[in-house]
Every structure is written in C-alpha cells, then in structure tokens.
Amino acid sequence: MLIGIDWGGTKIEGVAMERDGRELLRLREETPRHDYFGCIRVIKAMIAGLESQTGRTGTLGIGIPGSLEPVSRLGKGASSTWLLGRPVEKDLHDAIQRDIRVENDADCFAASEAVDGAGAGHNVVFAVILGSGAGAGIAVGGKAHHGPNNSGGEWGHNPLPFPNVTEIPGKACYCGRHGCMETWVSGRAFEAEYASHTHEELKAREIIDRKRNGDRLSGLLWERYIDRVARGLATVVNSLDPDILVMGGGMSNVDELYDDLPRELAKRTFSTVFHTPIRKAVHGDSSGVRGAAWLWK
C-alpha cells in the first residue's frame, strides 16, 4: 500500500491507500508548532499507527510546508519557520529508518489533483492554495514539476502586481520581504483586512456570510480580494498558460470564487481571450496527503 503524510502548519495528517487511490485509513493530529523534533515524533507514531491498524506495510511519502534546497537538502521557504535550515529529509530518515520521499506540500497537492482530481486529463496543472498562507504547485503529465532551485510554484512570494498607492510597500512577510501575494490573498489576510476596518475579528466564512446577507463592507472587501487574486494569477497565466487552475485551501470553499474570479482574471491577462478552467480541488484538504502517497506510485 501507499502511505502519505502531510506535515502541515496546523495539523499532521496521514493516509494509507491502495495503489488505485482507494483509502484504507486516515489519521490526524495537531501539529506541535515550533517543536521540530516533536513533529517528527508525531509523524513516526502516525506511520506506526497506519501500519498496525491496517496490518500492512506501506511506502512512505511525506509532504512538508516548504521545500528542500537541491544541494544541501536543508529546509527553505517554509511558513512553518521551525523547518528553515534543518536537514529535514535526513532527520526524518534517521527517525523512521525507512526509505522515504519528501516533497513540498503544494507540489503534493498539485500531483494529487493532476492524477485523480480536478486536473485529471490536463497536462499542465497549476494548483493554487489560498489557506492560512498562499502558494501553489505545478504538475506536468501527472507529476510535480521541479526546477534547478526547487522553487516552482512559489507564487505566494511574488509581489502583488500593479499595486496602487495604498498597497505600497505592503505588509511585512515572514520571508523578510514586503507585499508578497501571501500577505494579500491568504485567508488570514482577508480576515485581517476586515478587522482593520471594523476592529472586529471574524473568520473568513463569517465575513462571507455577512456578504451574502447584504453587508456592504463585506461585499466590497470580497471584490477587493478577488481583484488581488486576479492580479496575481494573471502573471501566472501570462508566463505559464496552464491548462487548468485548481483551487485549494479554505478560501477555495467560497462558491462565489468560481463566478467572480474568471471575469476579473480575463481583464488582467495579456491575451484577448481567457479560456482556462478554474476548478475547486476534488479532494479538498485531503489532496496534500494523497499527493504525498502518490510520490511512490
């Protein structure tokens, strides 16, 4: 069987799957935030639990919230900053004492949706994550794409295109820069924008509910959010022209996204036409862990 582990910033999830994608068992634990070796202990115990409860041994694929520097294999670009500069692959291997394959979680998400999700049948899949952060993975021919810097899909750390005077220089990002897309289009950014106007802290779904009930401010902030997502993705379409955009993360659950974003994106791309389908991830929050398992398919 195939075992996938999704090492996320808030939860660690594991799945045991047949090679045809049928799920046998799923386990989930809260991430011990800022406790690097605590996370590794949770992963080791989760693998043991998956195998003991199924009575079978599986191959091991692990998705991490960041990527590995191609030469040193040290963690980089991780929103879970306790992975930065760590020999993640080596430490996981030393703890588990098994062959493992480790990839970026967004790449796992892209591969999952390309194999048997919303991107199935499409050659170039750009899979966007609009969650607590913002990022993306690229899959080509059903496999995650990797370049020489292992940085493909790092859309969330490009600057917001065509900023107006109120958007310069932008908020500070954990990566050390200002105005990254992540600081504008993540779910947390949407919530922070609402709080800055109302001094009231609400979850994104609560703000969307207010918009649907006719609250003018919530509606205006949603329009601004869509405009920013469209500006950011226009650079992707202009550069890569993927066959499909697959949306994941908490903000992908807002149904209005699939009506409003295509219209705004069409206004922002260089081409006079915009035919790229924008689809919600079929496997939702499960895509990352399934993609990690597919690393051994």
Side-chain angles (χ1 to χ4, degrees), residues 24-286:
L24 302 171
L25 179 64
R26 184 184 294 270
L27 300 175
R28 179 181 289 205
E29 297 283 346
E30 288 188 5
T31 299
R33 291 180 61 79
H34 304 285
D35 184 354
Y36 174 70
F37 287 106
C39 291
I40 292 177
R41 286 193 293 271
V42 168
I43 291 170
K44 181 179 179 180
M46 187 170 287
I47 292 168
L50 289 166
E51 293 188 330
S52 66
Q53 291 183 50
T54 59
R56 297 168 63 180
T57 300
T59 55
L60 303 177
I62 301 173
I64 64 172
S67 59
L68 300 178
E69 197 279 317
V71 177
S72 70
R73 306 301 285 174
L74 299 179
K76 70 180 182 72
S79 55
S80 298
T81 53
W82 52 96
L83 276 73
L84 296 175
R86 298 275 195 168
V88 181
E89 193 173 46
K90 178 181 182 299
D91 288 340
L92 283 166
H93 182 270
D94 289 347
I96 300 167
Q97 293 292 302
R98 299 258 296 278
D99 286 339
I100 58 173
R101 293 182 180 176
V102 180
E103 296 289 357
N104 171 258
D105 54 358
D107 289 342
C108 290
F109 166 60
S112 171
E113 290 296 321
V115 170
D116 65 351
H122 295 273
N123 185 44
V124 180
V125 177
F126 193 82
V128 181
I129 299 175
L130 299 174
S132 56
I138 304 169
V140 180
K143 295 183 179 181
H145 164 72
H146 300 292
N149 305 300
N150 209 8
S151 292
E154 291 290 2
W155 167 76
H157 293 280
N158 286 330
L160 177 70
F162 306 108
N164 62 46
V165 292
T166 68
E167 296 167 330
I168 298 172
K171 298 175 183 177
C173 183
Y174 76 86
C175 73
R177 299 178 176 86
H178 283 77
C180 291
M181 286 300 305
E182 180 164 310
T183 68
W184 297 112
V185 302
S186 67
R188 288 178 179 171
F190 181 62
E191 294 165 355
E193 184 90 349
Y194 183 87
S196 71
H197 285 81
T198 64
H199 305 291
E200 183 180 9
E201 294 187 2
L202 295 180
K203 295 296 184 183
R205 63 179 178 275
E206 297 173 307
I207 302 169
I208 295 299
D209 285 341
R210 290 194 174 188
K211 177 188 81 70
R212 290 168 179 166
N213 289 325
D215 181 67
R216 184 171 181 273
L217 175 62
S218 300
L220 290 172
L221 293 180
W222 173 251
E223 291 175 7
R224 182 181 295 175
Y225 176 82
I226 288 294
D227 173 67
R228 288 168 173 164
V229 175
R231 278 188 267 166
L233 287 179
T235 63
V236 173
V237 175
N238 288 345
S239 304
L240 183 64
D241 201 11
D243 296 312
I244 188 170
L245 297 169
V246 178
M247 312 302 287
M251 297 302 287
S252 73
N253 294 320
V254 180
D255 291 339
E256 291 90 332
L257 182 74
Y258 304 96
D259 292 325
D260 299 339
L261 181 57
R263 289 194 296 266
E264 291 304 312
L265 195 42
K267 298 175 186 176
R268 293 289 185 176
T269 57
F270 179 70
S271 173
T272 56
V273 297
F274 179 73
H275 298 307
T276 312
I278 302 176
R279 301 286 184 265
K280 183 178 179 179
V282 167
H283 299 296
D285 292 342
S286 301

